Amino acid sequence: MAITKKDVNHIIAMIQELYLEDNIPWICGYSGGKDSSAVVQLVWNALAALPPGQRKHKKVYVISTDTLVESPVIAAWAEASLKKMEECAQKEGILLYPKRLIPKTNNTFWVNLIGRGYPFPKKDFRWCTDRLKIEPSNTFIKSVLNDEHEAILVLGTRKAESKSRREVMEEYEKKRYRAHLSKNGAFANSYIFTPIENWSNDEVWQYLMQYDNPWGHSNKELLAMYSGASEDGECPLVLDTSTPSCGNSRFGCWVCTVVSEDRSMAAMIHNDEEKAWMLPLLEFRNDIAGKYNEDGTKLEAGEAKTKVDRARRDFRKMDGKLQLQNQSFLVHGPYKKEVREAFLRKLLILQKNIRENGPEEVKNVRLIQMEELECIRDIWLNEKHEFDDSLPRIYEEVMGEAYHDNVVRQNRYYGMEEWDMLKNLCEECYPEEELLQNLLSNVLDITAKSSMVSRRKNVSGNLEKEIQKCFYRNEEDALAYKLKTLTD
């Protein structure tokens, strides 16, 4: 079915009526993709068509969540759109406020994967979505609710997206708070408005091609970007918190490992030679997903990437405890020190290459923020007790520039030289004791920091915890111990 001018005018009138009906502020979800672009465009045109005195009836926030690991192309596109949107809204006297939301520094992808050593996200361990997308949006919505007591979320969700989406939307439609508004199950006193809920995929594109973007961003470029990211010329974007974060073909986080293949990035590289600079990003994403052997060769189809990934991870969980699966093997936990350091080095090399060789529009893109590096360094020094302090050294070796942050080294006695001495001693004299260096370095670091008066509390308890974590000679010994506890 084709979208007619009458259809568009009907939605514009519905938006205007709902906008003027009360003083409840609006929050529009905007990803820069087709559905959210269509919704924000409809809202904008509806407000712009009102008399000047009514355009400032209430605030409309346009929130765009940047996970900090979005595809650089999409991130640059969305950021440029938000800037244009803000400038144009001010000129036209519309109370529309674009907001770029980002996750808290201690919750970002790299802080968790490289800093804490979280294993790469999977379908059954998707630790990323809540931290990177849902929490920033929810935090903003809560702040509006705290100030205004109520809020209306304007979303680009459509029934035609999937059968399950249709069923959910139709169920909420039966329980509407009032005309066009459904109650938001996540927050009290907030409601959901979905103006294009009955549009098909083709109707969204038809609207975008027939009506120019009112804040000056190009809808034709958006279509070209979609077409370039998929062999069949189409792929959906993440729209809101209820939308699955990944699909077999989609824009989204360039590091996403929940899907088996990142077809959108691969298609962009294949379809546009100017996107060849993105190939190392795709290769690094596959490296994180355990698709390469230790020698750098890619696993053949059918080979078990689980074995590769297990070798990169500690056989203990994050808290040092053992978790048994099928009474036959241990569930591995965080990445080992050398793996985390290798990931950081590769990421910085990618960033440097983009700065030096990437196209002009992405040369200033940071794959990892300085605040994230600071947080990772703090975790390595104070949670992991890695007093060799390798992060500044890795940064300076790769980037060729001095590294500076505000992290204060609390261990004044031991550094890289002592770390290397300890490592060599353990490897040469006690090679079968895999956790010996881990135990000794943790004990030395805790003891050194306890020389500060403020750090003396619970020293003995902390030392005891570290000894318990390193109680085993190796994984085989740990597995035997865990099995024995089941029979005792």
Side-chain angles (χ1 to χ4, degrees):
M1 183 184 293
I3 284 289
T4 65
K5 187 174 183 180
K6 181 179 179 181
D7 295 327
V8 174
N9 288 340
H10 173 73
I11 292 181
I12 293 282
M14 177 178 66
I15 291 171
Q16 290 174 331
E17 180 183 355
L18 201 58
Y19 177 78
L20 297 172
E21 203 169 62
D22 52 48
N23 294 316
I24 303 174
W26 285 10
I27 302 173
C28 297
Y30 178 69
S31 66
K34 68 180 191 309
D35 295 334
S36 61
S37 291
V39 166
V40 175
Q41 186 167 308
L42 284 164
V43 170
W44 183 294
N45 287 335
L47 300 186
L50 290 171
Q54 294 183 329
R55 292 181 188 176
K56 298 183 178 182
H57 181 68
K58 62 184 178 185
K59 293 180 179 179
V60 175
Y61 299 100
V62 177
I63 62 172
S64 179
T65 304
D66 183 352
T67 62
L68 300 180
V69 282
E70 301 292 325
S71 163
V73 173
I74 309 305
W77 166 270
E79 188 173 358
S81 180
L82 290 174
K83 287 181 180 178
K84 289 181 182 179
M85 198 184 294
E86 183 175 24
E87 293 170 359
C88 195
Q90 290 178 352
K91 288 180 182 178
E92 294 196 17
I94 298 174
L95 293 185
L96 189 144
Y97 301 94
K99 301 287 183 180
R100 174 177 171 265
L101 310 179
I102 61 174
K104 295 177 181 177
T105 301
N106 66 352
N107 256 349
T108 67
F109 184 86
W110 298 123
V111 166
N112 280 300
L113 186 124
I114 294 179
R116 297 186 176 94
Y118 279 23
F120 66 83
K122 305 174 187 177
K123 289 182 179 179
D124 58 350
F125 186 53
R126 190 183 293 185
W127 53 261
C128 51
T129 306
D130 281 350
R131 291 173 171 85
L132 306 187
K133 296 196 75 70
I134 295 177
E135 187 174 303
S137 298
N138 285 355
T139 299
F140 181 83
I141 293 169
K142 287 177 184 176
S143 70
V144 173
L145 288 172
N146 287 338
D147 292 339
E148 307 287 348
H149 308 296
E150 290 183 291
I152 294 173
L153 275 60
V154 186
L155 304 177
T157 49
R158 296 180 295 109
K159 295 175 184 176
E161 290 178 67
S162 67
K163 180 183 177 182
S164 60
R165 175 55 60 87
R166 174 182 291 276
E167 291 173 352
V168 170
M169 292 183 73
E170 288 177 348
E171 192 62 32
Y172 273 101
E173 199 172 349
K174 296 175 185 176
K175 306 172 184 177
R176 287 217 154 138
Y177 163 71
R178 64 176 201 247
H180 313 302
L181 291 184
S182 301
K183 286 193 175 183
N184 180 7
F187 296 100
N189 299 327
S190 66
Y191 318 98
I192 294 177
F193 174 38
T194 50
I196 62 170
E197 60 185 18
N198 294 313
W199 282 15
S200 68
N201 195 63
D202 290 342
E203 288 171 330
V204 174
W205 280 122
Q206 183 188 348
Y207 169 72
L208 290 173
M209 292 303 102
Q210 289 182 352
Y211 293 83
D212 291 336
N213 183 295
W215 58 90
H217 227 37
S218 172
N219 289 339
K220 290 182 179 179
E221 287 183 17
L222 178 63
L223 176 61
M225 195 160 59
Y226 266 79
S227 299
S230 178
E231 292 179 2
D232 60 6
E234 172 59 12
C235 62
L237 279 162
V238 173
L239 303 173
D240 56 65
T241 58
S242 66
T243 303
S245 63
C246 301
N248 289 332
S249 177
R250 92 284 175 248
F251 289 134
C253 302
W254 67 268
V255 292
C256 183
T257 52
V258 177
V259 292
S260 57
E261 299 287 343
D262 190 338
R263 296 178 182 174
S264 62
M265 186 185 292
M268 290 177 79
I269 296 168
H270 176 75
N271 295 336
D272 187 351
E273 61 182 17
E274 292 184 1
K275 300 290 192 302
W277 61 271
M278 295 177 66
L279 182 58
L281 274 69
L282 182 61
E283 292 174 343
F284 183 47
R285 177 262 179 198
N286 290 335
D287 183 15
I288 290 172
K291 295 195 172 187
Y292 294 104
N293 290 301
E294 290 185 13
D295 60 4
T297 57
K298 191 170 183 179
L299 289 172
E300 297 295 331
E303 287 191 83
K305 62 182 181 181
T306 304
K307 183 177 179 181
V308 174
D309 189 56
R310 277 177 61 85
R312 302 187 302 190
R313 292 160 53 188
D314 197 318
F315 63 80
R316 302 164 297 172
K317 304 299 286 184
M318 195 75 73
D319 58 4
K321 294 180 180 179
L322 304 177
Q323 182 179 344
L324 193 64
Q325 185 167 339
N326 299 331
Q327 295 191 1
S328 58
F329 61 89
L330 296 173
V331 178
H332 283 205
Y335 291 119
K336 298 173 183 176
K337 182 178 190 292
E338 60 271 18
V339 175
R340 291 183 274 109
E341 291 175 342
F343 281 163
L344 176 61
R345 185 178 295 275
K346 291 175 183 178
L347 180 62
L348 291 173
I349 290 172
L350 283 178
Q351 181 164 290
K352 185 178 182 183
N353 285 340
I354 290 176
R355 285 163 108 179
E356 295 177 350
N357 305 311
E360 198 62 37
E361 63 268 21
V362 296
K363 280 194 172 182
N364 293 324
V365 169
R366 280 192 174 273
L367 299 182
I368 184 168
Q369 311 299 310
M370 293 304 296
E371 294 83 359
E372 292 178 279
L373 291 171
E374 182 173 354
C375 191
I376 290 169
R377 186 188 179 203
D378 184 66
I379 290 170
W380 287 3
L381 281 172
N382 297 313
E383 293 182 23
K384 304 287 188 182
H385 302 293
E386 295 166 357
F387 55 74
D388 61 323
D389 196 15
S390 61
L391 189 145
R393 184 171 66 255
I394 293 171
Y395 182 90
E396 292 173 0
E397 288 173 358
V398 174
M399 305 302 291
E401 60 188 38
Y403 175 84
H404 301 287
D405 68 18
N406 297 314
V407 175
V408 178
R409 280 186 59 95
Q410 297 168 346
N411 185 338
R412 296 172 293 177
Y413 302 103
Y414 307 121
M416 184 178 68
E417 184 178 353
E418 290 76 17
W419 182 276
D420 289 341
M421 289 173 59
L422 183 63
K423 180 181 179 181
N424 292 335
L425 177 64
C426 292
E427 289 178 350
E428 291 177 10
C429 301
Y430 304 96
E432 72 284 359
E433 297 285 348
E434 292 182 10
L435 300 182
L436 182 58
Q437 188 198 353
N438 185 206
L439 170 62
L440 296 179
S441 59
N442 289 0
V443 168
L444 286 171
D445 190 57
I446 291 172
T447 305
K449 290 173 181 174
S450 70
S451 62
M452 301 170 59
V453 174
S454 60
R455 288 267 175 178
R456 289 179 184 172
K457 187 178 180 181
N458 294 329
V459 173
S460 60
N462 291 332
L463 291 173
E464 184 177 346
K465 287 179 183 178
E466 296 305 324
I467 293 171
Q468 290 175 344
K469 289 179 184 179
C470 302
F471 178 71
Y472 324 101
R473 178 175 288 110
N474 49 38
E475 183 173 358
E476 184 180 353
D477 183 38
L479 178 59
Y481 171 81
K482 187 65 177 177
L483 290 171
K484 187 175 183 298
T485 62
L486 297 178
T487 58
D488 287 348

